[in-house]
Structures are given as C-alpha cells and as structure tokens.
Amino acid sequence: MRVLGLESSCDDTAAAVLDDGTVRSNIISSQHDLHEEYGGVVPELASRDHQRLIVPVVQKALSEAEVGADTLDAVAVTYGPGLPGSLLVGLSFAKAFARGLNVPLIGVNHLEGHLYSGDFASPSPPRPYLCLIVSGGHTELVYVEEDFSYTVLGRTRDDAAGEAFDKIAQLFGLSYPGGPAIDQQAAGGDPTFHDFPRTRLDNLDFSFSGLKTSVLYYLRNFSDAERERVLTEHLDDLCASVQAAIVDVLVGAVRRAAEETGAEHVAVVGGVAANRELRRRGAVVGAEEGFEVYVPDLSYCMDNAAMIAHAGALRIAAGDEHSSTLDVVPQLQIEE
C-alpha cells in the first residue's frame, strides 16, 4: 500500500510517501521565518503560504520517494483540528489529487497522526500503551488499547504546554517558536532559580495558563531597568525554571496515569516531545516506575506528513474511506 500523506493544519506544509509501512520521503516546509516577527502564527498568512507551497512540496515528496503519482494507492490528509484556512488548502488539494488519480481519500485526525507517530520510534510501543500528546496546540493523555480504540484520560483546560512555552518565550524576548528557544537557553541555567507554580488538578487534566500569568507578574514586579538586568543576567536560569515547571507537570501526570492504568509502555509524541529535558525526565521516571518510554525521532515529533500517511494506512486497513464531501473540522477531538 503506497500512501501520499498531506499535512497543513498550522504553519508547516508537509507531504510524505509511505510504502508498505516504510517512509520513502517526508518533506516539511516551515513558515517559522514568516511568522517570527509577529510572535506567533498569523492564520491568513499561513493559508496563503500553504497555497504557494503545497504543489512543489508534493512534487518534492514524490521525487525523493522516486515514485510517480500514478503509482499511489491512496491519499491521506489532515482535516482537523487546526486553522480553518490552512486545513482547507490541504484538504482541497487532496480531494482533487485523489479524484484525478481515482484512488481513495482518507481524512486523518491530526491528533491521531501524533498518537500513532510513536510507531516510528525504534522499537515502537506494542498495544496497549499510554500516550502523552504534547504540542503547540494540544496536551492530552490517551490510553490506546488497540488501533482506534482508546480512552482520553486527560487534556488541557486552557493553554497547551507548547503554547505556554511560546507565550512565555515572548515575555522573555526570545524568538518564535518559543519551545526550542527556551530548551536551548535552559541548557545552561539553574532550574531552581525561581519556583514557578505547578498546577496539578485532581484528575489527569492539565492547565498551564497559571504558569504563564505567574511569569508575567514575576517580571512586572521589577522596574524597567531591573527587569532588563534580570533578563540579561538570568535568562538561562529563568528558562530552566519555566521548563522544569512544565516538565514536572507533564511527567507527574504520566506517572499517575501509568499507575492508574497499569501501563507498561508509554509513548511521548508531538512537537514538545523534542524537548531534551522532557525526554530525559521521561526516561528517568520510566526506569523508576518500571515502564518503557518511546519517543520518535525529532523529524516525527514536529507536524509532519509521514504520521498522517501512517494513520491513513491504518484507517484503510480498518476499512475506512471518505467521500469528496469531507469538510474541515477545526475543533476536531479524539473520539473514544
């Protein structure tokens, strides 16, 4: 089964070719430079850039995979969640491409793409497994019993972890995207420099808005001159302290969920899974609690089309297919 995957839910235009489970190409065109001056993604600019990039990105994916479009067996595409305009570009192209090739169209939930990106880890997690999806727009804990049979144990009630990283990085005067910037700065910092709050709810839901507010008030307590001095002399320490707070909450929730479910296998996926401290702490807690932790390579943590092609192939194997009436669903959730 040779599947073309397409991903355009936010600010990355991506296409990939999956051939009987083997990734033949995985092309990602990032818009980070376009949105950096605004400190975040501008939806209108993102959708326009997707329109400009999607054809050459697909052409490059096919070329790198050394396959012709006429050899494809299906087209899988993200239809939600995400930015409406960005999703629409990818879905419209996928519909036309699948129709022209007379092959099945498979709509993929972006979160399911991340959920099954753990299969790209080596080794990959066997079913059942616990999965932490942690990205710019989503933070969820999902227990996967088997393909497309799962239970959502918890999700964020406000900001996602990646969103918190981005917003706090902006307060620190760092570049967008904020997660990688804070990760880099934190490497040389003291995580005990300041004790920022860790919000731990009674259930397994997450909340990071309080952390963002705490950082804002912390900086407001200084005069302009003193704030500039603190951000100059202790930026590494502040980044390390913020990172420690976010990672503590994430790892703590995974520990609790593993205890409640008895999970022996835990996958950590999504853009924030690239964070070095999260990877380190995850491995430590796994060793302490007796569960195996699986994290895919960095190229499969960020938004990518290989994970969409893979989830699409799993959907095809389950007998799923979508018609040309499929529409984007910007607020799509994981259905239990």
Side-chain angles (χ1 to χ4, degrees):
M1 172 67 67
R2 182 173 292 169
V3 182
L4 173 70
L6 299 171
E7 158 61 26
S8 66
S9 63
C10 190
D11 61 337
D12 290 327
T13 311
V17 174
L18 190 75
D19 199 348
D20 288 334
T22 299
V23 179
R24 297 282 295 272
S25 64
N26 189 30
I27 307 302
I28 304 171
S29 180
S30 173
Q31 300 178 11
H32 290 169
D33 292 344
L34 176 65
H35 301 283
E36 184 175 2
E37 65 177 297
Y38 304 101
V41 178
V42 181
E44 179 64 22
L45 296 180
S47 59
R48 289 181 181 180
D49 222 41
H50 284 307
Q51 292 177 8
R52 180 178 67 86
L53 291 168
I54 192 162
V55 171
V57 166
V58 169
Q59 290 175 333
K60 187 173 182 180
L62 293 172
S63 175
E64 186 171 297
E66 298 182 338
V67 301
D70 59 350
T71 68
L72 297 173
D73 298 304
V75 176
V77 60
T78 302
Y79 74 102
L83 300 175
S86 295
L87 290 167
L88 191 59
V89 173
L91 181 58
S92 297
F93 181 91
K95 285 181 178 181
F97 208 56
R99 182 68 177 268
L101 296 173
N102 195 29
V103 297
L105 171 74
I106 307 297
V108 173
N109 183 327
H110 178 81
L111 296 176
E112 284 189 347
H114 278 307
L115 197 66
Y116 296 116
S117 67
D119 290 339
F120 292 130
S122 183
S124 59
R127 280 58 164 166
Y129 65 94
L130 177 67
C131 186
L132 173 66
I133 304 173
V134 55
S135 66
H138 308 279
T139 303
E140 303 198 17
L141 266 172
V142 183
Y143 186 70
V144 182
E145 298 175 9
E146 56 187 32
D147 290 344
F148 311 117
S149 176
Y150 26 64
T151 302
V152 178
L153 303 176
R155 53 168 53 104
T156 186
R157 294 186 180 181
D158 40 59
D159 292 348
E163 187 178 2
F165 271 127
D166 287 341
K167 291 179 177 178
I168 293 171
Q170 194 171 21
L171 294 175
F172 288 163
L174 295 173
S175 61
Y176 173 83
I182 288 181
D183 188 9
Q184 183 175 356
Q185 291 287 155
D190 176 8
T192 66
F193 175 75
H194 186 79
D195 186 21
F196 288 111
R198 279 83 162 148
T199 301
R200 294 182 173 91
L201 305 176
D202 291 338
N203 57 14
L204 289 169
D205 282 348
F206 301 91
S207 173
F208 293 102
S209 62
L211 172 62
K212 176 193 65 180
T213 302
S214 177
V215 173
L216 176 63
Y217 287 165
Y218 171 83
L219 295 174
R220 281 183 177 177
N221 284 332
F222 298 106
S223 65
D224 291 347
E226 185 67 7
R227 185 185 309 115
E228 184 175 350
R229 183 192 68 79
V230 169
L231 287 175
T232 299
E233 297 180 4
H234 295 288
L235 181 59
D236 289 356
D237 299 326
L238 287 170
C239 287
S241 298
V242 165
Q243 180 172 266
I246 293 175
V247 170
D248 278 354
V249 170
L250 295 173
V251 171
V254 168
R255 187 197 299 266
R256 289 168 55 198
E259 290 175 352
E260 291 182 11
T261 61
E264 297 179 354
H265 306 280
V266 176
V268 182
V269 301
V272 181
N275 181 275
R276 288 171 291 182
E277 182 64 7
L278 178 58
R279 285 173 173 248
R280 186 191 71 81
R281 288 285 305 284
V284 169
V285 171
E288 291 174 349
E289 300 296 329
F291 55 77
E292 189 75 22
V293 178
Y294 306 80
V295 186
D297 290 340
L298 296 183
S299 59
Y300 300 122
C301 290
M302 310 305 179
D303 288 353
N304 67 91
M307 68 181 191
I308 302 303
H310 175 54
L314 293 177
R315 282 288 181 189
I316 292 170
D320 294 339
E321 181 178 345
H322 289 96
S323 71
S324 59
T325 61
L326 179 66
D327 200 0
V328 300
V329 185
Q331 302 300 323
L332 187 65
Q333 297 286 341
I334 291 179
E335 297 180 2
E336 299 186 45

